[in-house]
Structures are given as structure tokens and as C-alpha cells.
Amino acid sequence: MSTIYMIAGTGIFFLLLTWIAIIDIAMRDFTSKPVQIGWGIAVALIPGIGCIAYFIFGIRQGKRRQKLQSPENSV
């Protein structure tokens, strides 16, 4: 029974890691759209390896977007 829990736990871990990577890709500005789309496809199609590769290599390629201020908060 513990083997089942270990496999399920590993699967849930990589699922969460993949979701975090996809959200991070969507929130960053990359040098071009094809680069951003390429990382998104790599993470989505190869969940275990793609998200680890993104966090090692791809996260440095994009810059975090600045939060937009609403007009009433800018006064």
C-alpha cells in the first residue's frame, strides 16, 4: 500500500510543479512570443522533465511583469 501512496504523491507533486511552471510562463515577458509558447508546450507535453528544465534554464529568460495599477490607485 505504501508504494501506491508514493506513486500518487510523486504524481501530485509533478502536477503541482507543472501548474506553477505554466502560470509562471504566462506571467513573464520573454524576448519573443515563440520562446514563451515553446516553453509552454515543453512544460505541458513533458510534465516531469519540462517543468524541471524550465525552472533550471527558462526562468532566467523572462522578466516578471510589473503589476498594473488601476487609475483610482495612481492618485
Side-chain angles (χ1 to χ4, degrees):
M1 200 62 145
S2 65
T3 305
I4 294 172
Y5 289 132
M6 194 164 95
I7 292 171
T10 304
I12 291 171
F13 172 74
F14 279 112
L15 177 67
L16 292 175
L17 200 61
T18 301
W19 286 349
I20 292 168
I22 289 174
I23 291 170
D24 191 64
I25 290 168
M27 300 296 285
R28 288 187 177 270
D29 284 328
F30 286 82
T31 55
S32 66
K33 277 294 184 191
V35 172
Q36 185 174 14
I37 292 169
W39 276 115
I41 290 172
V43 168
L45 292 181
I46 315 167
I49 299 169
C51 60
I52 292 172
Y54 171 71
F55 285 121
I56 293 173
F57 302 111
I59 203 163
R60 294 184 208 139
Q61 293 179 358
K63 292 184 180 180
R64 173 89 49 191
R65 291 182 188 160
Q66 297 294 324
K67 291 185 178 181
L68 297 175
Q69 291 184 353
S70 61
E72 57 264 354
N73 290 342
S74 62
V75 177

